[in-house]
Amino acid sequence: MASTTQPAVHPAAGSPTMSHREILEALSGLLLGMFVTILASTVVSNALPRIISDLHAGESAYTWVVTATLLALTVTTPIWGKLADLTSKKLLIQLALTIYVIGSALAGLAQNAGMLIAFRAVQGVGAGGLAALVQVILAAMISPRERGRYMGYLGAVFALGTVLGPLVGGVIVDSSWLGWRWCFYVGIPFAAVALVLLQRTLHLPVVRRRVRIDYLGATLVAAAVSLLLIWVSLAGHQFAWNSVQTYLMVGGALALGALFIAVEQRVAEPIIPLRLFADRTITLSTVASLFVGIGLFGGTVFLSQYFQISRGASPTASGLMSLPLVLGLLGSSTIVGQLISRYGAWKRYLVAGGVLLVAGFGLMGSMRADSPYGLLALYMLVLGAGLGMMMQNLVLATQNVVATGDLGAASSTVTFFRSLGGAVGVSALGALLAHRVATYTADGLAAVGIVPTGAGAGAELPNPATLPQPVRQIVQDAFGHGIGDVFLAATPFALLALLAVLFVKEVTLQTTSAIERDAEVPADLAAGSGQRDRGLVPLPASGT
């Protein structure tokens, strides 16, 4: 599985140390690839209410269009991370970007909700690679101490894609001559340029490790997570929570999870090395990432429904109204990254981010259809600032304490649990939203003497403009109240994330990159260090 690429070696000194300019050149294709992924995701998320309505699907389909991507991302992230420890990171990220673009193009051809969900899963496979590999490549090139300043560039790209995505998506959906399918096509030209840039600018040494991928473990964790998510999304309206189906699905998920743990303890190269969790920093960072994911995806994914259905905004206006969340994330991640690089301390920002996350979700839990937008903007700003302080720094804390041979696996493990939390959060909170909306709608209709038709969680998402005035107001109030309940339900998970980071031990940030540490492996081998046990064999530089 090994291959060779030209290593990123300073030509004059023969050292693996990269200058600021060389790092920026290497990051150009990486950042554009990230921009494509973020743009494609945010374009679609803002257009989803219209897409689901046009495909004559309901809240359950809306949830699964999001969950399918998160599920595929979750189960493939550890595989991408392990592959990054085995072969060319450059080749892998080009492959991931290609898969993502193919999935996007196919999603644009979907004729029904089932096809859309399937092609969104293909997108998730590529997104899993990008989510894992970007962090691994950054860690390979840049030391933990200096990584904060470059995280600011990632934050800027994230914010740009998140700002432009809803606006571009709104324009596409609102225009009569394009239509929502172009939301899936818009990122393809950018992806083509990103692939060219990656080929020309990203040069990393390849470290050969003579091991095999744990496909059995990957299959078991995929099956366990999938079964759990199917149960969460169906229980409560397809069958009762306390039912035979529930016992079978939950029991099956637990059995598969136990089997996965047993396999991981026996294979030579597990997908998720359980020995990593002997380190308190990794364990607590992973737990915090899980709960941040539940809150992040489970709460914010329904914002577009709130603005478009509860407040009657257009997709374009909906994108503009969610900008405070993005600005809070951009500002905090950029500023905190610079502060960490300058002073070296990082735990204080994790704790502050956890406090803001709890406050943001709690405040958003008070939202209703008629809530003043100024207050909501402030609440979104607080929530975004908390997310910006926590997401990248949890990965940084993990990467700082692992050996280079475990860098890909450790980074992808944190991302895996964040994505797992997100997938569970979207499914569980989506089911909660469907139940709350159905209940509030039925109560509202009964209060004005209208007999409910029985439409519930599986009913099509409403278009407020087509409803008569009394019913329109009831439906808008139901969605406003229901989505407020979703944020309130996400608040305890944010509190658990805060409790986890409170007990993280702050370890001094390393001042050497993974490339520099790998360059020292021969000396370590000669001295009989533990590098021999990890099977690291640096390849010589190619002549091209």
Side-chain angles (χ1 to χ4, degrees):
M1 296 184 64
S3 60
T4 61
T5 61
Q6 183 177 354
V9 178
H10 193 283
S15 165
T17 302
M18 298 175 67
S19 68
H20 178 62
R21 178 178 177 179
E22 288 171 332
I23 291 174
L24 289 181
E25 288 177 351
L27 284 179
S28 60
L30 202 64
L31 294 178
L32 186 57
M34 283 294 296
F35 174 75
V36 170
T37 308
I38 296 164
L39 179 69
S41 299
T42 52
V43 162
V44 173
S45 64
N46 194 45
L48 266 183
R50 182 73 58 84
I51 295 172
I52 295 300
S53 180
D54 287 350
L55 293 178
H56 305 291
E59 186 67 53
S60 179
Y62 183 101
T63 298
W64 267 102
V65 167
V66 178
T67 302
T69 304
L70 285 174
L71 176 59
L73 186 155
T74 300
V75 299
T76 58
T77 293
I79 299 176
W80 287 107
K82 179 59 69 175
L83 286 172
D85 289 334
L86 305 180
T87 189
S88 170
K89 300 173 181 63
K90 173 180 176 178
L91 177 63
L92 289 174
I93 199 164
Q94 288 175 312
L95 178 61
L97 184 58
T98 301
I99 292 173
Y100 190 87
V101 170
I102 291 173
S104 297
L106 292 173
L109 301 174
Q111 300 300 309
N112 54 58
M115 292 178 65
L116 181 60
I117 290 169
F119 295 142
R120 288 278 290 172
V122 176
Q123 284 184 290
V125 174
L130 289 163
L133 294 167
V134 168
Q135 299 291 348
V136 175
I137 292 172
L138 277 175
M141 296 191 301
I142 309 164
S143 71
R145 179 62 185 267
E146 293 297 320
R147 206 169 299 154
R149 64 188 296 201
Y150 296 100
M151 288 293 189
Y153 297 123
L154 276 180
V157 169
F158 182 89
L160 181 62
T162 307
V163 169
L164 288 180
L167 299 180
V168 172
V171 171
I172 290 174
V173 171
D174 289 337
S175 65
S176 58
W177 55 282
L178 284 176
W180 59 262
R181 296 182 187 278
W182 278 93
C183 290
F184 295 99
Y185 304 145
V186 69
I188 294 177
F190 296 100
V193 176
L195 287 170
V196 173
L197 283 174
L198 285 168
Q199 182 63 32
R200 292 176 63 88
T201 64
L202 185 61
H203 303 292
L204 296 172
V206 177
V207 178
R208 178 187 289 126
R209 304 183 72 212
R210 298 181 181 92
V211 293
R212 299 178 62 184
I213 293 293
D214 175 25
Y215 291 108
L216 177 58
T219 302
L220 289 172
V221 72
V225 172
S226 300
L227 190 57
L228 180 65
L229 293 181
I230 291 171
W231 167 68
V232 169
S233 64
L234 297 181
H237 54 89
Q238 295 293 330
F239 51 81
W241 290 97
N242 185 15
S243 64
V244 174
Q245 293 94 326
T246 288
Y247 298 140
L248 290 175
M249 287 187 174
V250 174
L254 292 175
L256 288 168
L259 187 57
F260 166 73
I261 292 174
V263 168
E264 297 302 274
Q265 291 176 329
R266 286 169 173 78
V267 296
E269 287 291 331
I271 286 292
I272 300 178
L274 300 182
R275 58 185 165 74
L276 293 177
F277 296 106
D279 187 287
R280 189 175 75 179
T281 297
I282 296 177
T283 300
L284 293 174
S285 296
T286 300
V287 170
S289 293
L290 174 72
F291 294 126
V292 168
I294 292 176
L296 169 63
F297 295 103
T300 58
V301 76
F302 300 107
L303 267 180
S304 59
Q305 281 193 48
Y306 171 77
F307 288 123
Q308 293 182 43
I309 296 177
S310 188
R311 299 185 79 103
S314 68
T316 303
S318 174
L320 289 170
M321 295 173 81
S322 61
L323 282 182
L325 179 70
V326 180
L327 295 176
L329 193 154
L330 169 63
S332 66
S333 62
T334 302
I335 295 171
V336 167
Q338 294 290 337
L339 291 173
I340 290 175
S341 289
R342 176 172 295 184
Y343 299 109
W346 50 268
K347 179 177 176 178
R348 65 189 66 172
Y349 304 112
L350 278 179
V351 174
V355 172
L356 292 176
L357 203 64
V358 173
F361 277 117
L363 292 169
M364 291 291 284
S366 67
M367 69 193 303
R368 299 292 183 268
D370 57 353
S371 296
Y373 176 73
L375 278 179
L376 291 181
L378 177 61
Y379 300 163
M380 286 187 285
L381 191 69
V382 172
L383 178 58
L387 291 171
M389 290 184 184
M390 293 198 75
M391 287 195 303
Q392 299 298 337
N393 291 326
L394 288 170
V395 178
L396 175 64
T398 298
Q399 292 175 337
N400 186 52
V401 297
V402 298
T404 57
D406 289 326
L407 188 60
S411 302
S412 62
T413 295
V414 175
T415 305
F416 167 81
F417 279 96
R418 186 176 67 208
S419 302
L420 174 62
V424 172
V426 169
S427 294
L429 298 179
L432 172 67
L433 175 60
H435 175 72
R436 287 284 196 268
V437 167
T439 300
Y440 293 142
T441 300
D443 291 346
L445 292 175
V448 296
I450 300 176
V451 179
T453 61
E460 295 181 13
L461 286 181
N463 182 351
T466 64
L467 300 175
Q469 180 52 41
V471 177
R472 178 192 308 174
Q473 189 60 52
I474 290 170
V475 169
Q476 289 179 322
D477 289 343
F479 270 88
H481 198 169
I483 294 173
D485 289 349
V486 164
F487 279 101
L488 199 60
T491 304
F493 298 107
L495 180 59
L496 290 172
L498 170 60
L499 291 175
V501 299
L502 282 173
F503 293 96
V504 170
K505 180 181 179 181
E506 184 159 22
V507 179
T508 303
L509 294 176
Q510 298 185 49
T511 57
T512 55
S513 68
I515 292 176
E516 294 171 304
R517 294 197 298 275
D518 275 340
E520 300 170 359
V521 168
D524 291 337
L525 286 171
S529 77
Q531 293 280 10
R532 180 188 293 112
D533 296 333
R534 290 195 293 274
L536 298 178
V537 183
L539 297 182
S542 66
T544 58

